[in-house]
Amino acid sequence: MALDRRLIGFVGIAVVAAVPFLPIPPFWITLLNNIGLASLVAIGLVLLTGVGGMTSFGQAALVGFGAYTTAVLTTAYGFSPWATLPLSLLAGALVALPLGLITVRLSGHFLPLGTIAWGLALYYLFGQIQLFGRYDGITAIPPLELAGHRFFSSGSIYYVIWGCVIAVAIGARNLLDSRVGRSLRALRGGTQAAEAFGVDIVRAKLTVFVLAGVLAALSGWLYAHMQRSVNPTPFGLNMGIEYLLMAVVGGAGHVWGAIFGASLVLILKDLLQRFLPDLVGITGNFEMIVFGILLVAILQFSRDGLWPLILRALPARKRRPLPKADGALGRRKLAPEGTTLVKLEAARKTFGGLVAVNDVSFDVKAGQIVGLIGPNGAGKSTTFNLITAISPLSGGKVIFGDATASAKSPREVARHGIARTFQHAKVLPEMTVLENVALGAHLRGRSGVVRSVLRLDRAEEAILLAEAETQIARVGLADYRDRPAGDLALGQIRILEIARALSLDPALLLLDEPAAGLRHGEKQELAELLKKLRAEGVGVLLVEHDMSFVMGLVDHLVVLDFGTKIAEGNPAEVRRHPAVVSAYLGGVS
Ligand code: ADP
Ligand code: MG
């Protein structure tokens, strides 16, 4: 049997299972238990920081909530430990949710600073509450018990801890490899593209916040029953920094890397605590200094952590065939040819004193290709952003089909069946071409977090991926399906964006300079594709500088200059229009 990653995984799990039977010193088991507990928190941070792009120094406080919940309920109210498990997890979720709500609104450096603030505040809170035993904490917490067997020894709770770690790691991997996972992974690459395809960004951010909180609380619950006493110390900012270091060492975006990072940091900490005081001759928390240096060094020399270096040494992942799709996605019923899909009524956008779009009106109908042309800075991309609600209107209206008011968010626009590409391509370079394109089909699936974690989403996922594959083949990128989008040339990335837009099954397609960077042959293929879409009844709004490409393709042209519409009509009319000739087409026609 060839060595593959699956086999390595099975061997790894077998080794984990055999450890308590090996002739090793008992403190190794204790260390492994601590590594398992830390891994749970670090996996949460992989979701939050590595995937969601939000740095939290405050996870240790959430571990505390999980620990104190069970500590109080089992000692003061006589709950059995297992009965408190859901309550501890709920406590983690309930604390993480409002913290997340406040924190996700912070941007840049304010977000990590915000997490430091609540991490510190909660730590001091633990030390002040009478019910929590103040700084003395709570003792005599009962051990876990299963079928009459009480888990007093570190060897017995070891299996509970590592069973949780492995289950959580697999669940997290499942989640990332799903419709929800794509939307979570899209958070880090700037949110505009994801929003334009219907991803609810705030909800996605809160999802990772709550998941990370629940995992921290699970770690706390286990900790309380392993240690059988709790006090505020392990839930302070020091530990919060250590958890973050683990996730960063592991590579932030890698689930198994979190376990690796937790192992490395805790083993190193153990060694440093044992040998460093002898070396420097005085006692103190010197490991924090070493960790600080380590964190800076990793960020400087191996931004993606150390796990990717190990991944490179492992055998390459086999190219998986796509799962068999049982059925296909339903297609949108397109409006009859000539129906108005979008109508701009005196749409206006100002940036300070600059009028970027000056009371522009036009519409796009089903089965029509409309060209939007004008010199650089004329306001074409801004018009796209007004239509897709990425920028709010300063005045006027954008009405879709039979809607009565302008859409309020890019998500709402996407739900009207409007898909777009960006002049400055917005793809997720680390995700494959297939995954990027599948993001376009986000609104055509329904599976949520629970279904994804439990792999109940597979039938739907296969159909979504099959749709993405169809669109990839349609635009001619089939050979690149499994390559990271970052490997593609700029022209190919524009084509990828078109495939992503088609995955939404659009009624109206907005393309911002799609042919820039394409070779002649590729432009012709693009023109053929657009003609085919038109024949199917899709409406297309096209911004393009290549006049021979535009003139041969469009049914209707709108010409902007300095934000103002200076001409409109069919290509022949516009070509003859005096204002156009002087402002723009002078040299071309
Ligand atoms: P086009 O796509 O036609 O080349 P744009 O719509 O990108 O033009 O830009 C129109 C005008 O609006 C330009 O003068 C540009 O500098 C300005 N502009 C665009 N976006 C912004 C912004 N976010 N803030 C300030 N000015 C902007
Ligand atoms: Mg532009």
Side-chain angles (χ1 to χ4, degrees):
M1 192 190 201
L3 196 65
D4 72 1
R5 290 193 180 184
R6 201 168 275 258
L7 181 64
I8 293 175
F10 281 127
V11 172
I13 290 174
V15 169
V16 167
V19 162
F21 296 102
L22 302 177
I24 52 174
F27 76 85
W28 279 35
I29 304 277
T30 308
L31 182 61
L32 282 170
N33 283 342
N34 287 329
I35 289 173
L37 294 177
S39 297
L40 292 170
V41 187
I43 291 172
L45 274 173
V46 162
L47 297 177
L48 186 62
T49 305
V51 176
M54 292 172 285
T55 307
S56 169
F57 287 93
Q59 291 312 99
L62 294 166
V63 179
F65 270 95
Y68 274 107
T69 301
T70 189
V72 169
L73 291 176
T74 51
T75 57
Y77 298 97
F79 278 66
S80 85
W82 291 109
T84 63
L85 175 57
L87 299 172
S88 279
L89 301 186
L90 190 65
L94 288 181
V95 176
L97 190 63
L99 290 177
L101 268 174
I102 302 165
T103 321
V104 297
R105 286 172 205 282
L106 303 175
S107 59
H109 295 305
F110 292 111
L111 188 136
L113 287 178
T115 64
I116 290 176
W118 55 255
L120 277 174
L122 295 177
Y123 166 75
Y124 286 112
L125 184 74
F126 293 142
Q128 293 303 326
I129 297 180
Q130 185 67 48
L131 186 65
F132 287 7
R134 299 186 185 254
Y135 285 100
D136 295 332
I138 299 171
T139 54
I141 300 171
L144 293 179
E145 200 180 315
L146 199 64
H149 178 73
R150 312 188 85 195
F151 295 176
F152 277 115
S153 74
S154 52
S156 51
I157 198 164
Y158 170 90
Y159 284 109
V160 183
I161 292 175
W162 279 92
C164 287
V165 172
I166 290 168
V168 162
I170 292 173
R173 286 287 305 243
N174 289 350
L175 177 65
L176 291 180
D177 174 34
S178 73
R179 168 180 175 270
V180 181
R182 277 189 294 277
S183 69
L184 302 180
R185 290 158 71 195
L187 290 177
R188 219 162 66 142
T191 51
Q192 269 187 11
E195 259 187 305
F197 289 97
V199 173
D200 184 339
I201 298 297
V202 171
R203 187 191 170 126
K205 286 185 169 178
L206 286 179
T207 302
V208 281
F209 240 100
V210 168
L211 286 174
V214 167
L215 291 181
L218 172 62
S219 174
W221 179 84
L222 287 162
Y223 172 85
H225 294 291
M226 177 184 88
Q227 207 66 20
R228 310 206 24 239
S229 68
V230 292
N231 66 61
T233 312
F235 311 128
L237 197 56
N238 267 8
M239 272 315 287
I241 295 172
E242 266 181 53
Y243 289 134
L244 195 59
L245 178 65
M246 293 168 192
V248 170
V249 166
H254 302 270
V255 171
W256 296 110
I259 301 174
F260 169 75
S263 312
L264 201 70
V265 169
L266 288 183
I267 291 171
L268 194 63
K269 181 176 169 181
D270 187 69
L271 293 175
L272 290 173
Q273 279 176 340
R274 252 188 291 163
F275 299 115
L276 214 51
D278 287 343
L279 278 179
V280 291
I282 33 173
T283 53
N285 283 344
F286 297 111
E287 73 275 5
M288 284 314 286
I289 299 170
V290 176
F291 284 170
I293 296 170
L294 190 65
L295 189 59
V296 172
I298 289 175
L299 291 178
Q300 194 69 33
F301 298 110
S302 180
R303 271 216 151 259
D304 297 328
L306 303 180
W307 185 249
L309 304 180
I310 293 178
L311 277 187
R312 228 172 288 157
L314 294 179
R317 187 185 307 236
K318 287 197 189 123
R319 180 180 155 144
R320 282 181 300 173
L322 280 189
K324 263 224 137 357
D326 195 6
L329 291 174
R331 294 288 307 272
R332 182 187 310 280
K333 196 172 162 328
L334 292 171
E337 200 181 319
T339 313
T340 301
L341 297 174
V342 63
K343 186 173 199 61
L344 279 74
E345 287 178 9
R348 184 177 187 82
K349 183 69 190 179
T350 53
F351 294 109
L354 177 84
V355 185
V357 177
N358 188 6
D359 297 343
V360 170
S361 306
F362 65 89
D363 50 39
V364 183
K365 298 184 169 68
Q368 189 188 36
I369 303 181
V370 175
L372 182 62
I373 62 171
N376 270 330
K380 306 179 297 291
S381 295
T382 307
T383 303
F384 266 43
N385 288 344
L386 293 179
I387 297 175
T388 51
I390 284 179
S391 317
L393 286 152
S394 308
K397 274 193 215 160
V398 175
I399 303 291
F400 300 115
D402 48 13
T404 50
S406 302
K408 282 181 218 51
S409 69
R411 267 195 306 137
E412 210 180 301
V413 174
R415 281 206 215 97
H416 281 290
I418 293 156
R420 68 169 292 173
T421 66
F422 293 87
Q423 181 181 352
H424 302 287
K426 296 188 196 311
V427 298
L428 296 146
E430 282 140 41
M431 276 164 56
T432 64
V433 169
L434 182 74
E435 288 170 321
N436 269 288
V437 173
L439 185 64
H442 185 79
L443 286 177
R444 301 170 79 187
R446 332 201 55 80
S447 296
V449 172
V450 176
R451 292 184 67 82
S452 305
V453 167
L454 299 177
R455 276 293 196 242
L456 299 173
D457 63 337
R458 289 298 97 184
E460 179 190 278
E461 177 73 358
I463 293 174
L464 289 178
L465 293 180
E467 170 71 10
E469 185 178 41
T470 305
Q471 301 304 346
I472 290 169
R474 194 172 184 193
V475 300
L477 282 179
D479 291 345
Y480 297 90
R481 190 188 83 192
D482 298 315
R483 294 266 288 277
D487 284 2
L488 269 54
L490 197 60
Q492 292 172 317
I493 289 181
R494 292 183 176 287
I495 301 285
L496 186 165
E497 285 213 338
I498 294 173
R500 181 174 64 186
L502 292 176
S503 292
L504 185 136
D505 186 23
L508 174 63
L509 189 59
L510 311 178
L511 304 174
D512 199 348
E513 304 199 15
L518 296 195
R519 289 191 297 269
H520 183 67
E522 291 170 327
K523 282 187 186 180
Q524 282 183 318
E525 279 167 30
L526 177 59
E528 287 314 310
L529 176 63
L530 297 184
K531 284 178 188 163
K532 228 164 96 203
L533 290 168
R534 166 170 62 189
E536 287 170 19
V538 176
V540 179
L541 180 63
L542 175 74
V543 168
E544 189 46 62
H545 282 297
D546 180 341
M547 278 308 124
S548 57
F549 179 78
V550 171
M551 292 299 180
L553 189 60
V554 302
D555 305 295
H556 191 82
L557 267 176
V558 175
V559 189
L560 293 183
D561 194 22
F562 292 111
T564 306
K565 183 173 83 178
I566 56 169
E568 182 172 4
N570 68 38
E573 287 163 5
V574 166
R575 204 193 282 267
R576 286 193 301 270
H577 199 291
V580 176
V581 173
S582 65
Y584 183 49
L585 291 175
V588 182
S589 57

